[in-house]
Amino acid sequence: MDLVGTFAFALSGAVLGTQRGMDLFGVLVLAFVTAAAGGILRDLLLGAVPPVAIASWYALAIATAAGLLAFGFQPLIARFHSAVLFFDAAGLGVFAVTGTYKALEFGLSPPMAALLGMLSGIGGGMLRDVLTARVPVVLQGEIYAVAALAAALMVLAGEWMGLSPTIVSLPAIGLCLALRLISIARGWKLPVAPTRRD
Amino acid sequence: MDLVGTFAFALSGAVLGTQRGMDLFGVLVLAFVTAAAGGILRDLLLGAVPPVAIASWYALAIATAAGLLAFGFQPLIARFHSAVLFFDAAGLGVFAVTGTYKALEFGLSPPMAALLGMLSGIGGGMLRDVLTARVPVVLQGEIYAVAALAAALMVLAGEWMGLSPTIVSLPAIGLCLALRLISIARGWKLPVAPTRRD
Amino acid sequence: MDLVGTFAFALSGAVLGTQRGMDLFGVLVLAFVTAAAGGILRDLLLGAVPPVAIASWYALAIATAAGLLAFGFQPLIARFHSAVLFFDAAGLGVFAVTGTYKALEFGLSPPMAALLGMLSGIGGGMLRDVLTARVPVVLQGEIYAVAALAAALMVLAGEWMGLSPTIVSLPAIGLCLALRLISIARGWKLPVAPTRRD
């Protein structure tokens, strides 16, 4: 599952890079950043250095493969748009759940562990957007971070009830996936400040 | 004082978020980032992990409260604009002073400690601006970073004279506050390069 | 050589700052960021804290000198544009080579060491571009990161053949320099995705 999440995140970064007219190198960088930056940021904040995505080469290899795929076959990827959205949502849940468990392991209090779990899920996409000079989409209305947060909170609930990670992980990932896909299908948005421009 | 600074910084981030039409989640993220990122960056650079704002939940709680306030009562906040400016300037001084002391404690040389102190003060606002896709305001003319630097240098002077932090801190924060408020009142700016566009 | 690279990188950051109409402080920040951020990022990811550019004050001093120079004598710097390009390319090679060696020393696998070496070279310029709210130029077509990567790979080849750093470093830096200068002279670009806007 972790590999699937990495691959899906890398694909979403690479597709954005090709759409912005970046060169091959830029596309590969965006693929790696989107896939790895959330976990790297989590590990830096926990003091778990070097971060997993730097200490081992598998994230780089997967991201490079996804980047080359997106670079060479962009029309194909565009056709499987909903598959990419699905895997991206699954990856979000995976990263949120594993990030929360890792933060708890490092002794963080439950609310901060949930925050770091959510950050593991959304950090890569935020840096991807910063590097393409746009306001991170996650700050602008879709149910995305909230889905990651829901998975993180379910992990906390599981820990509080003394359930083992093997029991809690899949339902928590499923919750994130479901929230994300339903919100896309129904066009659910978070409220924006009612007083804007008044 | 530290809480006041955190609250004021969070408020300034949240207000910017509502003005940019961000959703509730985006506003809360901007509030936390503005309040905490300077100190987090300082702690990462010092190797003091997990950073204070991650290890304890109080910054998150204060930033969330400020974010909800700004989200719900934006016109009210807008009316107290000068109060926000005042607390923001106070927060800047607090973070610069405590940041400089912390860097000295970790063994940094005086000039680098002053740099990290200044960064503690201005880092949150810089990341806030990066996340809203604009050039950080602190790089563009106002007396802001310089006020933080003045407070940091006063801390260095106090250490050099062997004065205790309890004696030096308040005057240093006051210096930053005074510099910032006077420069706003009088429209003081830093010079820009005279040769621009020639 | 390390000092030359730091100075050239700082100059390139400072020149961009003056062109964007930043104030003196902003110009100095951009100079320091461009010169030091790549190495700081590398050290954070390796867990080598505080990073060299924070623990010692020489990068700050050199960057400040370069920033003041660019601020005061911008037309002069503009006249020596090709000298700045040359030193920037040399600095890129120096940082890529020393970064790769440092990452190997900290036990990273060869491909990840090359990645961190390249990041040491390009990270400063990327953050400079993020702070001026533009897409990093390194992602957009020129042979820049690839030149750094070539130097990093030559380091790996040297290690694999058991050659000492003193023998390998200069040729590797020369390779980066040559690749960069030839690509500028001939207008070589990396390919962009062929399917853009289709």
Side-chain angles (χ1 to χ4, degrees), chain A residues 130-145:
Chain A
V130 164
L131 289 180
T132 49
R134 59 177 193 172
V135 177
V137 287
V138 71
L139 303 179
Q140 289 182 308
E142 285 193 47
I143 305 284
Y144 192 91

mmCIF file with all atom_site columns, all heavy atoms in Angstrom, chain A residues 130-145:
data_model
loop_
_atom_site.group_PDB
_atom_site.id
_atom_site.type_symbol
_atom_site.label_atom_id
_atom_site.label_alt_id
_atom_site.label_comp_id
_atom_site.label_asym_id
_atom_site.label_entity_id
_atom_site.label_seq_id
_atom_site.pdbx_PDB_ins_code
_atom_site.Cartn_x
_atom_site.Cartn_y
_atom_site.Cartn_z
_atom_site.occupancy
_atom_site.B_iso_or_equiv
_atom_site.pdbx_formal_charge
_atom_site.auth_seq_id
_atom_site.auth_comp_id
_atom_site.auth_asym_id
_atom_site.auth_atom_id
_atom_site.pdbx_PDB_model_num
ATOM 1   N N   . VAL A 1 130 ? 3.846   24.923 -4.042  1.00 0.00 ? 130 VAL A N   1
ATOM 2   C CA  . VAL A 1 130 ? 4.747   26.055 -3.815  1.00 0.00 ? 130 VAL A CA  1
ATOM 3   C C   . VAL A 1 130 ? 5.782   26.120 -4.945  1.00 0.00 ? 130 VAL A C   1
ATOM 4   O O   . VAL A 1 130 ? 6.093   27.202 -5.460  1.00 0.00 ? 130 VAL A O   1
ATOM 5   C CB  . VAL A 1 130 ? 5.448   25.924 -2.446  1.00 0.00 ? 130 VAL A CB  1
ATOM 6   C CG1 . VAL A 1 130 ? 6.649   26.848 -2.350  1.00 0.00 ? 130 VAL A CG1 1
ATOM 7   C CG2 . VAL A 1 130 ? 4.458   26.226 -1.322  1.00 0.00 ? 130 VAL A CG2 1
ATOM 8   N N   . LEU A 1 131 ? 6.290   24.961 -5.379  1.00 0.00 ? 131 LEU A N   1
ATOM 9   C CA  . LEU A 1 131 ? 7.303   24.945 -6.438  1.00 0.00 ? 131 LEU A CA  1
ATOM 10  C C   . LEU A 1 131 ? 6.718   25.292 -7.806  1.00 0.00 ? 131 LEU A C   1
ATOM 11  O O   . LEU A 1 131 ? 7.461   25.618 -8.728  1.00 0.00 ? 131 LEU A O   1
ATOM 12  C CB  . LEU A 1 131 ? 7.981   23.577 -6.511  1.00 0.00 ? 131 LEU A CB  1
ATOM 13  C CG  . LEU A 1 131 ? 8.926   23.243 -5.353  1.00 0.00 ? 131 LEU A CG  1
ATOM 14  C CD1 . LEU A 1 131 ? 9.520   21.867 -5.535  1.00 0.00 ? 131 LEU A CD1 1
ATOM 15  C CD2 . LEU A 1 131 ? 10.052  24.271 -5.253  1.00 0.00 ? 131 LEU A CD2 1
ATOM 16  N N   . THR A 1 132 ? 5.404   25.210 -7.951  1.00 0.00 ? 132 THR A N   1
ATOM 17  C CA  . THR A 1 132 ? 4.802   25.681 -9.189  1.00 0.00 ? 132 THR A CA  1
ATOM 18  C C   . THR A 1 132 ? 4.151   27.048 -8.990  1.00 0.00 ? 132 THR A C   1
ATOM 19  O O   . THR A 1 132 ? 3.333   27.469 -9.802  1.00 0.00 ? 132 THR A O   1
ATOM 20  C CB  . THR A 1 132 ? 3.771   24.670 -9.733  1.00 0.00 ? 132 THR A CB  1
ATOM 21  O OG1 . THR A 1 132 ? 2.889   24.302 -8.670  1.00 0.00 ? 132 THR A OG1 1
ATOM 22  C CG2 . THR A 1 132 ? 4.444   23.417 -10.251 1.00 0.00 ? 132 THR A CG2 1
ATOM 23  N N   . ALA A 1 133 ? 4.568   27.736 -7.919  1.00 0.00 ? 133 ALA A N   1
ATOM 24  C CA  . ALA A 1 133 ? 4.166   29.122 -7.683  1.00 0.00 ? 133 ALA A CA  1
ATOM 25  C C   . ALA A 1 133 ? 2.662   29.317 -7.654  1.00 0.00 ? 133 ALA A C   1
ATOM 26  O O   . ALA A 1 133 ? 2.118   30.250 -8.243  1.00 0.00 ? 133 ALA A O   1
ATOM 27  C CB  . ALA A 1 133 ? 4.810   30.065 -8.724  1.00 0.00 ? 133 ALA A CB  1
ATOM 28  N N   . ARG A 1 134 ? 1.943   28.399 -6.972  1.00 0.00 ? 134 ARG A N   1
ATOM 29  C CA  . ARG A 1 134 ? 0.515   28.628 -6.782  1.00 0.00 ? 134 ARG A CA  1
ATOM 30  C C   . ARG A 1 134 ? 0.162   28.339 -5.331  1.00 0.00 ? 134 ARG A C   1
ATOM 31  O O   . ARG A 1 134 ? 0.879   27.629 -4.629  1.00 0.00 ? 134 ARG A O   1
ATOM 32  C CB  . ARG A 1 134 ? -0.309  27.769 -7.727  1.00 0.00 ? 134 ARG A CB  1
ATOM 33  C CG  . ARG A 1 134 ? -0.086  26.281 -7.579  1.00 0.00 ? 134 ARG A CG  1
ATOM 34  C CD  . ARG A 1 134 ? -0.994  25.485 -8.515  1.00 0.00 ? 134 ARG A CD  1
ATOM 35  N NE  . ARG A 1 134 ? -1.002  24.084 -8.151  1.00 0.00 ? 134 ARG A NE  1
ATOM 36  C CZ  . ARG A 1 134 ? -1.813  23.178 -8.694  1.00 0.00 ? 134 ARG A CZ  1
ATOM 37  N NH1 . ARG A 1 134 ? -2.671  23.544 -9.628  1.00 0.00 ? 134 ARG A NH1 1
ATOM 38  N NH2 . ARG A 1 134 ? -1.777  21.927 -8.321  1.00 0.00 ? 134 ARG A NH2 1
ATOM 39  N N   . VAL A 1 135 ? -0.959  28.910 -4.899  1.00 0.00 ? 135 VAL A N   1
ATOM 40  C CA  . VAL A 1 135 ? -1.414  28.673 -3.531  1.00 0.00 ? 135 VAL A CA  1
ATOM 41  C C   . VAL A 1 135 ? -1.795  27.198 -3.422  1.00 0.00 ? 135 VAL A C   1
ATOM 42  O O   . VAL A 1 135 ? -2.508  26.687 -4.276  1.00 0.00 ? 135 VAL A O   1
ATOM 43  C CB  . VAL A 1 135 ? -2.624  29.569 -3.210  1.00 0.00 ? 135 VAL A CB  1
ATOM 44  C CG1 . VAL A 1 135 ? -3.137  29.271 -1.818  1.00 0.00 ? 135 VAL A CG1 1
ATOM 45  C CG2 . VAL A 1 135 ? -2.233  31.035 -3.326  1.00 0.00 ? 135 VAL A CG2 1
ATOM 46  N N   . PRO A 1 136 ? -1.296  26.490 -2.400  1.00 0.00 ? 136 PRO A N   1
ATOM 47  C CA  . PRO A 1 136 ? -1.612  25.070 -2.272  1.00 0.00 ? 136 PRO A CA  1
ATOM 48  C C   . PRO A 1 136 ? -3.108  24.809 -2.364  1.00 0.00 ? 136 PRO A C   1
ATOM 49  O O   . PRO A 1 136 ? -3.896  25.447 -1.664  1.00 0.00 ? 136 PRO A O   1
ATOM 50  C CB  . PRO A 1 136 ? -1.065  24.715 -0.884  1.00 0.00 ? 136 PRO A CB  1
ATOM 51  C CG  . PRO A 1 136 ? 0.071   25.658 -0.693  1.00 0.00 ? 136 PRO A CG  1
ATOM 52  C CD  . PRO A 1 136 ? -0.360  26.933 -1.357  1.00 0.00 ? 136 PRO A CD  1
ATOM 53  N N   . VAL A 1 137 ? -3.497  23.889 -3.240  1.00 0.00 ? 137 VAL A N   1
ATOM 54  C CA  . VAL A 1 137 ? -4.925  23.604 -3.425  1.00 0.00 ? 137 VAL A CA  1
ATOM 55  C C   . VAL A 1 137 ? -5.563  23.114 -2.139  1.00 0.00 ? 137 VAL A C   1
ATOM 56  O O   . VAL A 1 137 ? -6.756  23.302 -1.928  1.00 0.00 ? 137 VAL A O   1
ATOM 57  C CB  . VAL A 1 137 ? -5.146  22.550 -4.538  1.00 0.00 ? 137 VAL A CB  1
ATOM 58  C CG1 . VAL A 1 137 ? -4.891  23.167 -5.898  1.00 0.00 ? 137 VAL A CG1 1
ATOM 59  C CG2 . VAL A 1 137 ? -4.301  21.323 -4.339  1.00 0.00 ? 137 VAL A CG2 1
ATOM 60  N N   . VAL A 1 138 ? -4.761  22.490 -1.280  1.00 0.00 ? 138 VAL A N   1
ATOM 61  C CA  . VAL A 1 138 ? -5.316  21.924 -0.059  1.00 0.00 ? 138 VAL A CA  1
ATOM 62  C C   . VAL A 1 138 ? -5.843  23.016 0.878   1.00 0.00 ? 138 VAL A C   1
ATOM 63  O O   . VAL A 1 138 ? -6.644  22.748 1.779   1.00 0.00 ? 138 VAL A O   1
ATOM 64  C CB  . VAL A 1 138 ? -4.255  21.052 0.648   1.00 0.00 ? 138 VAL A CB  1
ATOM 65  C CG1 . VAL A 1 138 ? -3.169  21.893 1.248   1.00 0.00 ? 138 VAL A CG1 1
ATOM 66  C CG2 . VAL A 1 138 ? -4.875  20.156 1.689   1.00 0.00 ? 138 VAL A CG2 1
ATOM 67  N N   . LEU A 1 139 ? -5.415  24.264 0.653   1.00 0.00 ? 139 LEU A N   1
ATOM 68  C CA  . LEU A 1 139 ? -5.888  25.366 1.490   1.00 0.00 ? 139 LEU A CA  1
ATOM 69  C C   . LEU A 1 139 ? -7.149  26.007 0.926   1.00 0.00 ? 139 LEU A C   1
ATOM 70  O O   . LEU A 1 139 ? -7.668  26.960 1.479   1.00 0.00 ? 139 LEU A O   1
ATOM 71  C CB  . LEU A 1 139 ? -4.798  26.441 1.625   1.00 0.00 ? 139 LEU A CB  1
ATOM 72  C CG  . LEU A 1 139 ? -3.451  25.992 2.178   1.00 0.00 ? 139 LEU A CG  1
ATOM 73  C CD1 . LEU A 1 139 ? -2.488  27.162 2.216   1.00 0.00 ? 139 LEU A CD1 1
ATOM 74  C CD2 . LEU A 1 139 ? -3.606  25.391 3.554   1.00 0.00 ? 139 LEU A CD2 1
ATOM 75  N N   . GLN A 1 140 ? -7.633  25.503 -0.199  1.00 0.00 ? 140 GLN A N   1
ATOM 76  C CA  . GLN A 1 140 ? -8.659  26.240 -0.923  1.00 0.00 ? 140 GLN A CA  1
ATOM 77  C C   . GLN A 1 140 ? -9.964  25.530 -1.187  1.00 0.00 ? 140 GLN A C   1
ATOM 78  O O   . GLN A 1 140 ? -10.503 25.597 -2.278  1.00 0.00 ? 140 GLN A O   1
ATOM 79  C CB  . GLN A 1 140 ? -8.077  26.685 -2.254  1.00 0.00 ? 140 GLN A CB  1
ATOM 80  C CG  . GLN A 1 140 ? -7.063  27.778 -2.071  1.00 0.00 ? 140 GLN A CG  1
ATOM 81  C CD  . GLN A 1 140 ? -6.554  28.233 -3.406  1.00 0.00 ? 140 GLN A CD  1
ATOM 82  O OE1 . GLN A 1 140 ? -6.120  27.429 -4.212  1.00 0.00 ? 140 GLN A OE1 1
ATOM 83  N NE2 . GLN A 1 140 ? -6.622  29.508 -3.649  1.00 0.00 ? 140 GLN A NE2 1
ATOM 84  N N   . GLY A 1 141 ? -10.459 24.808 -0.229  1.00 0.00 ? 141 GLY A N   1
ATOM 85  C CA  . GLY A 1 141 ? -11.845 24.415 -0.353  1.00 0.00 ? 141 GLY A CA  1
ATOM 86  C C   . GLY A 1 141 ? -12.187 22.949 -0.479  1.00 0.00 ? 141 GLY A C   1
ATOM 87  O O   . GLY A 1 141 ? -13.230 22.527 -0.012  1.00 0.00 ? 141 GLY A O   1
ATOM 88  N N   . GLU A 1 142 ? -11.348 22.120 -1.089  1.00 0.00 ? 142 GLU A N   1
ATOM 89  C CA  . GLU A 1 142 ? -11.765 20.729 -1.204  1.00 0.00 ? 142 GLU A CA  1
ATOM 90  C C   . GLU A 1 142 ? -11.590 19.971 0.115   1.00 0.00 ? 142 GLU A C   1
ATOM 91  O O   . GLU A 1 142 ? -10.804 20.332 0.970   1.00 0.00 ? 142 GLU A O   1
ATOM 92  C CB  . GLU A 1 142 ? -10.978 20.042 -2.311  1.00 0.00 ? 142 GLU A CB  1
ATOM 93  C CG  . GLU A 1 142 ? -11.467 20.463 -3.679  1.00 0.00 ? 142 GLU A CG  1
ATOM 94  C CD  . GLU A 1 142 ? -10.926 19.560 -4.762  1.00 0.00 ? 142 GLU A CD  1
ATOM 95  O OE1 . GLU A 1 142 ? -10.976 18.328 -4.596  1.00 0.00 ? 142 GLU A OE1 1
ATOM 96  O OE2 . GLU A 1 142 ? -10.439 20.075 -5.768  1.00 0.00 ? 142 GLU A OE2 1
ATOM 97  N N   . ILE A 1 143 ? -12.347 18.886 0.238   1.00 0.00 ? 143 ILE A N   1
ATOM 98  C CA  . ILE A 1 143 ? -12.217 17.993 1.382   1.00 0.00 ? 143 ILE A CA  1
ATOM 99  C C   . ILE A 1 143 ? -10.994 17.136 1.114   1.00 0.00 ? 143 ILE A C   1
ATOM 100 O O   . ILE A 1 143 ? -11.092 16.113 0.436   1.00 0.00 ? 143 ILE A O   1
ATOM 101 C CB  . ILE A 1 143 ? -13.464 17.088 1.514   1.00 0.00 ? 143 ILE A CB  1
ATOM 102 C CG1 . ILE A 1 143 ? -14.737 17.899 1.574   1.00 0.00 ? 143 ILE A CG1 1
ATOM 103 C CG2 . ILE A 1 143 ? -13.326 16.127 2.706   1.00 0.00 ? 143 ILE A CG2 1
ATOM 104 C CD1 . ILE A 1 143 ? -14.975 18.560 2.887   1.00 0.00 ? 143 ILE A CD1 1
ATOM 105 N N   . TYR A 1 144 ? -9.848  17.543 1.570   1.00 0.00 ? 144 TYR A N   1
ATOM 106 C CA  . TYR A 1 144 ? -8.636  16.767 1.292   1.00 0.00 ? 144 TYR A CA  1
ATOM 107 C C   . TYR A 1 144 ? -7.887  16.558 2.605   1.00 0.00 ? 144 TYR A C   1
ATOM 108 O O   . TYR A 1 144 ? -7.769  15.457 3.096   1.00 0.00 ? 144 TYR A O   1
ATOM 109 C CB  . TYR A 1 144 ? -7.772  17.511 0.268   1.00 0.00 ? 144 TYR A CB  1
ATOM 110 C CG  . TYR A 1 144 ? -6.658  16.666 -0.301  1.00 0.00 ? 144 TYR A CG  1
ATOM 111 C CD1 . TYR A 1 144 ? -6.842  15.916 -1.454  1.00 0.00 ? 144 TYR A CD1 1
ATOM 112 C CD2 . TYR A 1 144 ? -5.414  16.625 0.322   1.00 0.00 ? 144 TYR A CD2 1
ATOM 113 C CE1 . TYR A 1 144 ? -5.829  15.128 -1.956  1.00 0.00 ? 144 TYR A CE1 1
ATOM 114 C CE2 . TYR A 1 144 ? -4.394  15.844 -0.171  1.00 0.00 ? 144 TYR A CE2 1
ATOM 115 C CZ  . TYR A 1 144 ? -4.602  15.102 -1.314  1.00 0.00 ? 144 TYR A CZ  1
ATOM 116 O OH  . TYR A 1 144 ? -3.588  14.320 -1.810  1.00 0.00 ? 144 TYR A OH  1
ATOM 117 N N   . ALA A 1 145 ? -7.438  17.667 3.192   1.00 0.00 ? 145 ALA A N   1
ATOM 118 C CA  . ALA A 1 145 ? -6.759  17.566 4.480   1.00 0.00 ? 145 ALA A CA  1
ATOM 119 C C   . ALA A 1 145 ? -7.697  17.004 5.539   1.00 0.00 ? 145 ALA A C   1
ATOM 120 O O   . ALA A 1 145 ? -7.278  16.258 6.415   1.00 0.00 ? 145 ALA A O   1
ATOM 121 C CB  . ALA A 1 145 ? -6.240  18.936 4.901   1.00 0.00 ? 145 ALA A CB  1
#
